[in-house]
């Protein structure tokens, strides 16, 4: 592990006299096989404040919060609530202390309804029976705070990732806690949803609720946080009031180096050879004759609201879903019946939900990276561990994946590092067409910069990139062109210069100029 | 591979996309939609077929016979539904039936206790087995398959050991009534099964513990993080399974007028079969009482139907196997068509 | 090469249906069952304990040949394994067929009392066959009392082992009533003799493979066992196979109930020394004839018929095989 | 690592975190680490105990006897490992054993074909059943439990129907040799089992298809999106399971010198038990050949050991059940301690 830089003196204002911090964690230490996740970390949350918690992937944020939530028992250190030390043996204890947690990895039961998930372990009952009216009432109350309507009785497994995350948030709101811990609550959300969430956070704070807010999006941090704690390699490297610092300084303290030009230089020497062309693609009930084209070396952004069918479009092109319409590779019509056929043609798809459809969590980093290249690691079908290890090690270094070794289980990695593994598995195939669905979901600024760099390099090398993203700055920053979907239809197309958040939202919500062709 | 069309990790999804994607209504109505209704159609279809092909099968008397047989299976299957919904499995129910049968013989005949005492005592036998299953699973963290496989041996062995294999007869009419009698034209076991089913359905769909059963099976780590006492939930379901197996055993003993240590062999497979036919997933989180009951009915219907159709006893198993696959496949296919139809309507 | 290249050319046992039916007829006659013939569309149902035991194979043969001779339809319906509940289910299901008569070999007597009564109310002739149903409404019983068979077996056995030594027993199902009865009869005789003792009783679950495995284990645990007894169909052959594999046929005496084909083979190869047969073939043929007679309202004076057992040794095997009964 | 710290969809994780953290070292060593080594200790422990308590059990001859018995179970269990590793299950192996036995009788005795033809033909029977299983599972999307439950009935029924329950004898010495003979002091079945185990282990750990088996079981949607032809993988595993069941049946038929339709009852439970005892998860993605083999050995050891200890047959099942639970629990506990220790050591 790289050594931390001198932790500069905390630029923190002294607690207002007589204000006892709601929660104080001191000297928390937690080690996992081969990893010192937390190295005597402190965290203090005052009543009615929003404490930002930032740090690279694997810095220890989630672990710290899991300790606070009673999920992980620390090796050392103590947790004080209103000055009283507490011993937490499980999540229930934390709940009893008025703590609600939005975990980074969603903790919903896919087979159960939205209402049942939101009110789990706090179900209202009458005469021992669930009180359905009350459940609907509370569910709708919580959801409407976030400004979304969902049938309270729809199974969660039918919801998009974005919606699931909102349900997760709603659960925390419904808990009426005095401290809400939010571990990357927005990683799957689109701009307007994020804005609504931030509004909710402010409202809660004003009503005296304390919040710990984790995010890799500096914009959010600086919009809502009163104070910001920085973690680095499991160490506390600084605490400051939001007003006393600025994004660049913060990032520098997180990453240990300045990050200039997050999105890198747009190389406008996109060749004109059209590599991937999609004509009138329809798939399932979410994609209606979508058309788009990606040239060699071009990065095309695919924007749209949640549910607009971006994922389904990509999946259809990848041959994962049955579909109608034409798909041409370098002008040659192709029809993929199975992802394997797409792979054979150098087409790759990074799925949006790494946990459900991306990674093999109980398997090693090695396995996960090499899964897509059986030919390489098993020439003539005979497996060579060395080859597998080499492939894995190569990407572990090039993507800076933070893990004890390529033998450690992916399930044990931090969210961002998991995302890097998911990406590595596709880069290993040396693709010519890359379909990226939320490629930087849950990835820290430093890693984002790397991933952007990598994407640019690939593009420069002539790879055609189609990038789905709900983070508008990202789409705008990266894309040479942006295709906007609305309700499964191509709503329009914007060049890099035309592209503004307003323009995209306008098209996505259908109030923009109608698409041509 | 339709598994991948909607984001979910459940490898079993394809197994019942029909049931799951359609339902957006409350837990109340749920059992009467999707897969269950399909199964109902299959059952009715088979009945219709038998009515046409034989004049002896679809008669009140004979249907009551079938109903009584199905009831005994159904009761066990309902208990199994609880276990399977948590993603567990209980292989010991058959042996629990045997042990309870022996216990019943002892308390009712040998000890000659008043029924008020004897019957609860023999039910307690099953409850105890379930308790032991649950406790061992929770404490040792050994997979349920192993624990209940062990219990399968233990319960059966104790039953054999205590009786050294001998059966016991000499039950008096009032007791035999539980298994052989009728009330308002319906066999007593059918009444019992109905009550059990209704109560179980309410518990699973309308009570906290019931929903926690599904939550645990649907995503156990999440259940823990959500503050569900997963261990209690597990204890609960195995106790239910054990107790209902005991109840079924009581009825069977009364029906056969004999307490025997060798009964119940292979019941676990029938029960699990009924539950899975009913739409449950062995990976947990899915499964309804009505489904299990319909599954049980389907199975008894097939067995009896084949005899009515004069199929040679030697070929019956083969055809039974084929019909089971056919029935479920049909239902599956129906289910998926239903979804496709529904999909268009969405958005 | 193929199988036969390595076999001493043995005459394929030609179909003895004809001849054995004569024997069956004789048996029926000596039991005093009136000679009748039924209508072709009359249905008779036989409910054996199970289908998984070759013993019932012989019984079925007897039923089918007799059905042909008597000009009636007869069906053989039973559970796959000796399962009390399933048998009752099938009994109940069979009633819906409204047969003229039913012969049942109950896995448990008490379990079928109710259904027998129902059947009789429906005017169906019911007899117990192969094993009795005490104080039931069944019109009669034809077969051997298993306990008696057990005794006869025990006496024959003691004779063979010269009245002393250790005996190990393999039983199909520890819980099955017929096994219990045979065991009881055997025990009576053995316990009466101080020089003989039963050192082990093991269960085979009516599976030959299991019988073999258990025997192997017994031979290891009781090196100087004098005889191994198979109580149900496949047990003796299973035991014999275990000896055959270690080339110890003859060292340990093997005796068993039911002269199923495999058992007879092994007896020919000196791996089984004693078999006791309940003559399922003749018994079943006679049972059908009895049912038909009852259905025809022919006057049947004697309805409790003991078909007795025959003890078979290598010497008496040939003429036993002449008439599969 | 405990379930709560890494939320994964697999509720069975806690059940074998020991194994799972270990499962990541090189394919060679893997089988000899973690759970397997623990199981080996348990087996040795039982042997030691029997050696002390009896003078008849731990003798070359007797151990060979036990080995031959274990071999037949092990072969089936190895096939089952493939299926379970994909998260599937095959309930039909027992019936496949019966059907193959009948087929062997037909081809070898009745048809009297040359062995070179007859034996492949009877193996083909099992292969065909497996193929049918796989095809139905892939095409109908009906859960494997149902399909193979149906096949359990079909195969058994066909076996009974074709023979109407009769057995067939008259195998010649060279054929019987397969089951009863020995080579270099080891029974032929043991040799066969060894070869099967080694090959299977290499296939699962060293070949692409084998690794795809685990990927499929670990996360099916992800496997599909990674370009794995999940459907082929499934066909493959059920074919393997069917074929190995047939192989075991061939050996058994030769061992018992009789072709019989009623053999194999309940083998599926024994096989699945062996595999799960060996550390596999019924939820897929986990399970090794060595584990399955050790599981099979453990089971035969217990059965035989109890007889050697002269435990009354009436109580044997009970004790067997208890020992199974005990053995696995012990191993589980050991496993978790090992991990804990490992953690401490690593940092
Ligand atoms: N269950 C576990 N087993 C092993 N290692 C773990 C486990 N959980 C976390 N770690 C390790 O602890 C370190 C901190 O992980 P953590 O999830 O807290 O990082 P994070 O700050 O949340 O990163 P991200 O921003 O990507 O979520 C990582 O190096 C991770 O590999
Ligand atoms: N309104 C909705 N109701 C029910 N299910 C939905 C809804 N919207 C989306 N889904 C489910 O989510 C899945 C993915 O849709 P998703 O929202 O991801 O589309 P998208 O355009 O890819 O948006 P994003 O990329 O932001 O997820 C769909 O297959 C669908 O099953
Ligand atoms: Mg995190
Ligand atoms: Mg998407």
């Amino acid at each position: 592990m790289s050594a931390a830089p001198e932790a500069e003196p905390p630029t923190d204002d002294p607690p207002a006299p007589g204000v006892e911090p709601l929660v104080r964690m001191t000297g928390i230490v937690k080690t996992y096989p081969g990893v010192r996740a937390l190295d005597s970390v402190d965290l203090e949350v005052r009543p009615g404040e929003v404490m930002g918690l930032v740090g690279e992937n694997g810095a220890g944020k989630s672990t710290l919060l899991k300790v606070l939530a009673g999920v992980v028992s620390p090796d050392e250190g103590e947790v004080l609530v209103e000055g009283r030390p507490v011993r937490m043996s499980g999540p229930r204890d934390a709940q009893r202390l008025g703590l609600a947690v939005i975990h980074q990895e969603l903790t919903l039961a896919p087979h159960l309804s939205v209402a049942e998930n939101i009110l789990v372990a706090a179900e209202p009952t009458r005469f021992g029976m669930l009180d359905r009216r009350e459940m609907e009432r509370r569910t709708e109350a919580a959801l409407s705070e976030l400004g979304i309507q969902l049938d309270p009785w729809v199974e969660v497994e039918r919801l998009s990732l974005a919606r699931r995350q909102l349900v997760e948030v709603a659960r925390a709101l419904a808990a009426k806690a005095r401290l809400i811990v939010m571990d990357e609550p927005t990683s799957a959300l689109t701009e307007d949803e994020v804005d609504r969430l931030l509004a909710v956070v402010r409202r809660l704070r004003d009503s005296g609720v304390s919040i710990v807010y984790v995010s890799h999006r500096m914009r959010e941090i600086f919009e809502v946080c009163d104070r910001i704690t920085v973690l680095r390699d499991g160490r506390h490297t600084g605490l400051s009031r939001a007003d006393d610092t600025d994004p660049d300084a913060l990032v520098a303290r997180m990453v240990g180096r300045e990050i200039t030009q997050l999105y890198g230089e747009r190389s406008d020497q996109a060749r004109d050879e059209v590599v991937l062309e999609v004509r009138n693609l329809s798939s399932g009930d979410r994609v209606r004759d979508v058309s788009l084209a990606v040239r060699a070396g071009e990065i095309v952004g695919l924007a749209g609201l949640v549910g607009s069918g971006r994922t389904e479009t990509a999946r259809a092109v990848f041959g994962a879903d049955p579909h109608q319409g034409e798909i041409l590779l370098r002008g040659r019509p192709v029809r993929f019946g199975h992802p394997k056929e797409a792979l054979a043609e150098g087409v790759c798809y990074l799925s949006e939900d790494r946990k459900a459809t991306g990674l093999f969590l109980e398997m090693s980093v090695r396995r996960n990276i090499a899964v897509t290249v059986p030919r390489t690691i098993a020439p003539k079908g005979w497996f060579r561990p060395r080859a597998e290890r080499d492939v894995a090690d190569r990407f572990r270094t090039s993507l800076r994946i933070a893990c004890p070794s390529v033998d450690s289980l992916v399930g044990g990695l931090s969210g961002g590092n998991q995302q890097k593994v998911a990406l590595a598995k596709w880069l290993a195939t040396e693709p010519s067409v890359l379909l990226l669905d939320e490629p930087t979901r849950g990835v820290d600024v430093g890693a984002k910069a790397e991933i952007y760099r990598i994407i640019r390099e690939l593009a420069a090398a002539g790879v055609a990139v189609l990038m789905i993203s709900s983070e508008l700055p990202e789409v705008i920053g990266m894309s040479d062109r942006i295709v906007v979907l609305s309700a499964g239809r191509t709503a329009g197309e914007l060049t890099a210069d035309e592209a503004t958040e307003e323009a995209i939202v306008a098209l996505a919500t259908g109030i923009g100029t109608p698409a041509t062709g | 591979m339709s598994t991948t069309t909607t984001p979910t990790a459940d490898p079993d999804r394809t197994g019942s996309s029909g049931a799951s994607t359609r339902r957006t209504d409350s837990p109340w109505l749920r059992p009467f939609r999707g897969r269950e209704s399909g199964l109902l159609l299959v059952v009715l279809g088979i009945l219709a077929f038998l009515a046409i092909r034989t004049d002896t099968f679809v008669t009140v008397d004979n249907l009551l016979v079938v109903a009584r047989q199905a009831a005994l299976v159904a009761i066990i299957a309902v208990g199994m539904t609880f276990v399977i919904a948590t993603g567990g499995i209980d292989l010991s129910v058959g042996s629990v039936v045997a042990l309870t049968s022996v216990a019943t013989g002892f308390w009712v005949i040998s000890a000659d206790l008043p029924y008020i005492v004897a019957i609860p005592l023999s039910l307690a036998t099953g409850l105890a087995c379930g308790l032991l299953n649950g406790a061992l699973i929770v404490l040792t963290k050994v997979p349920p398959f192993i624990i209940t496989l062990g219990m399968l041996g233990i319960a059966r062995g104790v039953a054999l050991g205590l009786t050294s294999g001998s059966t016991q007869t000499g039950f008096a009419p009032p007791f035999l009534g539980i298994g052989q009698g009728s009330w308002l034209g319906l066999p007593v076991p059918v009444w019992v099964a109905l009550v059990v089913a209704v109560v179980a359905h309410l518990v699973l769909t309308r009570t906290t513990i019931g929903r926690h059963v599904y939550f645990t099976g649907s995503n156990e780590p999440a259940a823990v993080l959500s503050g569900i006492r997963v261990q209690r939930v597990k204890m609960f379901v195995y106790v239910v399974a054990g107790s209902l197996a005991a109840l079924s055993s009581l009825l069977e003993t009364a029906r056969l007028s004999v307490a025997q240590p060798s009964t119940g062999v292979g019941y676990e497979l029938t029960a699990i079969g009924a539950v899975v036919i009913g739409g449950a997933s062995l990976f947990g989180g899915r499964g309804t009482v009505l489904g299990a009951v319909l599954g049980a009915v389907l199975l008894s219907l097939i067995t009896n139907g084949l005899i009515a159709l004069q199929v040679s006893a030697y070929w019956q198993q083969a055809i039974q196997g084929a019909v089971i696959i056919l029935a479920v496949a049909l239902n599956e296919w129906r289910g998926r068509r239903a979804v496709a139809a529904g999909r268009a309507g969405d958005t | 090469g193929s199988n036969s290249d390595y076999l001493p050319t043995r005459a394929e046992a030609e179909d003895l249906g004809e001849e054995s039916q004569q024997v069956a007829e004789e048996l029926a006659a000596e039991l005093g069952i009136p000679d009748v013939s039924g209508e072709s569309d009359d249905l008779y149902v036989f409910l054996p304990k199970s289908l998984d035991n070759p013993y019932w194979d012989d019984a079925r043969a007897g039923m089918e040949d007799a059905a042909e001779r008597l000009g009636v339809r007869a069906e053989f319906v039973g559970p796959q394994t000796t399962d009390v509940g399933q048998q009752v289910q099938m009994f109940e299901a069979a009633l819906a067929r409204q047969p003229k008569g039913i012969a049942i070999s109950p896995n448990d007597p008490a379990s079928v009392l109710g259904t027998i009564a129902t059947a009789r109310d429906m005017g169906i002739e019911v007899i117990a066959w192969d094993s009795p149903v005490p104080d039931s409404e069944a019109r009669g019983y034809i077969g051997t009392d298993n306990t008696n068979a057990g005794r006869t077996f025990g006496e024959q056995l003691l004779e063979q082992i010269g009245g002393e030594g250790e005996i190990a027993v393999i039983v199909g199902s520890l819980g099955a009533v017929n096994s219990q009865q045979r065991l009881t009869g055997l025990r009576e005789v053995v316990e009466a003799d101080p020089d003989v003792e039963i050192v082990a009783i093991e269960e085979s679950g009516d599976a030959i493979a299991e019988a073999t495995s258990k025997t192997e284990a017994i031979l290891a645990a009781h090196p100087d066992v004098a005889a191994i007894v198979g109580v149900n169909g496949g047990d003796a052959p299973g035991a014999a196979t275990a000896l055959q594999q270690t080339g110890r046929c003859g060292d340990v005496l093997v005796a068993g109930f039911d002269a199923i084909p495999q058992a007879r083979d092994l007896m020919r190869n000196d791996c089984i020394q004693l078999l006791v047969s309940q003559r399922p073939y003749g018994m079943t043929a006679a049972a059908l004839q009895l049912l038909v007679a009852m259905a025809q309202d022919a006057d049947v004076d004697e309805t409790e018929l003991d078909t007795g057992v025959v003890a078979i040794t290598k010497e008496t095997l040939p003429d036993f095989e002449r008439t599969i009964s």
Side-chain angles (χ1 to χ4, degrees), chain A residues 178-194:
Chain A
R178 21 177 213 167
L179 170 59
I180 302 182
V181 167
M182 302 185 172
D183 194 349
E184 299 189 35
T186 56
S187 58
L189 300 187
T190 47
E191 300 295 308
D192 56 340
E193 291 160 324
V194 172

Side-chain angles (χ1 to χ4, degrees), chain A residues 92 116 123 130 151 164 315, chain B residues 4 7 24 206 211-212 227:
Chain A
R92 299 186 63 86
E116 288 162 340
E123 297 89 347
L130 292 172
D151 173 352
R164 292 182 196 194
R315 289 179 52 96
Chain B
T4 58
T24 62
R206 301 205 48 176
R211 299 323 289 170
H212 287 186

Side-chain angles (χ1 to χ4, degrees), chain A residues 414-487:
Chain A
S414 73
N417 285 300
Q418 289 185 0
Q419 184 66 26
K420 290 186 197 170
V421 174
L423 182 59
K425 126 179 161 187
W426 293 119
L427 300 188
T429 66
E430 287 155 11
S432 61
V433 177
L434 250 186
L435 311 170
L436 302 171
D437 198 347
E438 313 285 0
T440 62
R441 168 167 295 160
V443 175
D444 69 50
V445 196
K448 260 184 185 165
E450 290 165 26
I451 292 179
Y452 295 146
R453 199 194 72 243
I454 295 161
I455 295 178
R456 287 240 182 269
E457 280 173 13
L458 291 166
V463 176
V465 180
L466 181 71
M467 187 177 83
I468 299 172
S469 174
S470 304
E471 212 178 328
L472 289 182
E474 179 176 273
V475 191
I476 296 168
M478 290 296 294
S479 313
D480 303 314
R481 265 186 314 127
I482 298 174
V483 176
V484 184
L485 296 189
S486 170

Side-chain angles (χ1 to χ4, degrees), chain A residues 115-186:
Chain A
E116 288 162 340
N117 271 284
I118 287 179
L119 298 173
V120 62
E123 297 89 347
T125 57
R126 277 170 59 226
F127 326 116
M129 291 279 172
L130 292 172
D131 181 346
R132 184 179 177 218
R133 302 262 160 296
E134 182 63 10
M135 285 178 81
E136 277 175 0
R137 207 185 54 67
R138 293 195 201 170
T139 306
E140 266 140 18
L143 287 173
S144 60
E145 267 195 84
L146 294 165
I148 55 167
Q149 284 92 25
L150 278 180
D151 173 352
W153 303 112
V154 70
E155 272 96 353
V156 161
E157 75 185 349
R158 298 215 42 228
L159 300 186
S160 69
L161 203 59
R163 283 182 174 72
R164 292 182 196 194
Q165 195 159 36
L166 289 170
V167 170
E168 186 92 16
V169 174
R171 180 199 290 178
L173 299 184
K176 304 267 173 272
R178 21 177 213 167
L179 170 59
I180 302 182
V181 167
M182 302 185 172
D183 194 349
E184 299 189 35
T186 56

Side-chain angles (χ1 to χ4, degrees), chain A residues 158-160 163 286 306-312 352 470, chain B residues 6-7:
Chain A
R158 298 215 42 228
L159 300 186
S160 69
R163 283 182 174 72
R286 309 200 147 268
V306 168
S308 54
R310 297 165 296 170
T311 296
E312 286 70 10
E352 71 179 328
S470 304
Chain B
T6 48

Side-chain angles (χ1 to χ4, degrees), chain C:
Chain C
S2 75
N3 201 57
S4 57
D5 307 350
Y6 305 89
L7 284 179
T9 47
R10 175 154 56 87
E12 271 304 313
E14 72 282 6
D15 178 25
L16 299 161
E18 290 309 307
E19 193 171 351
S20 42
Q21 268 306 307
Q22 288 165 19
V23 182
E25 257 178 291
E26 290 158 20
L27 177 65
E30 87 198 31
L31 290 172
I33 302 172
D35 207 338
V36 289
S37 74
E39 280 94 51
S40 58
D41 56 356
D42 287 357
L43 173 66
Y44 295 86
V45 176
F46 281 68
L47 298 161
K49 289 193 171 67
S50 71
L51 298 178
D52 63 3
N53 182 335
Y55 171 85
W56 297 113
D57 194 29
D58 291 349
R60 188 179 42 80
M63 178 197 77
E64 282 165 355
D65 296 349
E68 200 174 310
R69 173 165 58 90
L70 301 170
V72 295
R73 283 191 303 141
E75 275 182 29
F76 208 69
V77 180
Q80 222 263 303
T81 58
T82 61
D83 181 302
V84 178
Q86 272 185 25
Q87 189 181 32
V88 174
Q89 280 191 32
M90 297 189 146
F91 193 172
E92 288 173 338
L95 295 188
R97 303 274 312 280
Q98 280 141 2
K100 277 263 185 275
I102 294 178
I104 179 159
S105 167
N107 277 311
D108 184 282
S111 68
V112 291
L113 289 171
T115 323
I116 290 179
T118 325
R120 301 284 285 114
D121 297 345
M122 295 170 64
I124 301 172
E125 304 294 349
V126 182
I127 62 167
W129 135 83
D130 173 72
S131 46
V133 188
D135 37 57
S136 73
E137 292 185 32
R139 275 199 63 189
Y141 169 60
I142 182 166
T144 39
D145 170 18
N146 273 304
T147 322
N148 280 333
R151 290 198 198 88
T152 326
F153 182 88
E155 287 145 10
Q156 294 281 343
L157 180 66
L158 293 203
E159 208 170 296
Q160 291 260 348
I161 63 170
E164 63 176 330
E166 296 182 345
I167 299 177
V169 180
I170 309 265
V171 50
S173 159
L174 288 169
V177 173
N178 64 331
S179 318
Q180 289 281 324
Q181 291 166 334
R182 290 175 176 181
L183 214 44
T184 320
L186 176 62
R187 273 215 181 97
E188 279 179 24
V189 182
V190 170
E191 276 154 18
D193 186 330
D195 307 336
V196 190
E197 73 160 331
I198 297 178
V199 291
I201 299 179
E202 298 297 341
E203 187 177 27
S204 74
D206 290 311
I208 299 179
E210 196 63 12
T212 307
S213 302
K214 290 289 169 73
T215 307
E216 288 172 338
I218 290 173
L219 291 173
H222 307 278
D224 41 16
V225 62
I228 298 180
V229 172
V231 174
N232 297 77
D235 297 340
T241 310
L243 290 168
Q244 196 176 34
Q245 281 177 27
T246 43
R248 292 177 57 189
C249 283
D251 306 2
V252 179
L253 180 139
V254 177
F257 281 87
D258 306 343
I260 62 175
Q262 191 194 4
R264 290 179 236 139
D265 279 4
L266 287 156
M267 179 172 266
R268 244 179 251 103
N269 309 348
D270 301 302
C271 288
I272 293 184
Q273 286 68 26
L274 171 66
L275 287 171
V276 169
S277 169
Q278 288 168 300
R279 306 199 285 178
Y281 184 94
M283 176 203 298
T284 312
L288 180 56
Q289 190 169 340
L290 179 62
L291 274 176
V292 176
M294 289 174 166
Q296 304 288 319
D297 301 322
D299 53 296
V300 187
D301 35 25
E302 184 49 61
T303 58
E304 296 296 318
L305 309 172
D306 190 329
T307 49
V309 295
V310 283
I312 311 156
T313 60
K314 195 174 184 193
E315 293 64 44
T316 59
L317 182 59
D319 50 350
F320 172 83
E321 285 205 311
R322 210 174 40 72
T323 66
I324 305 174
S325 48

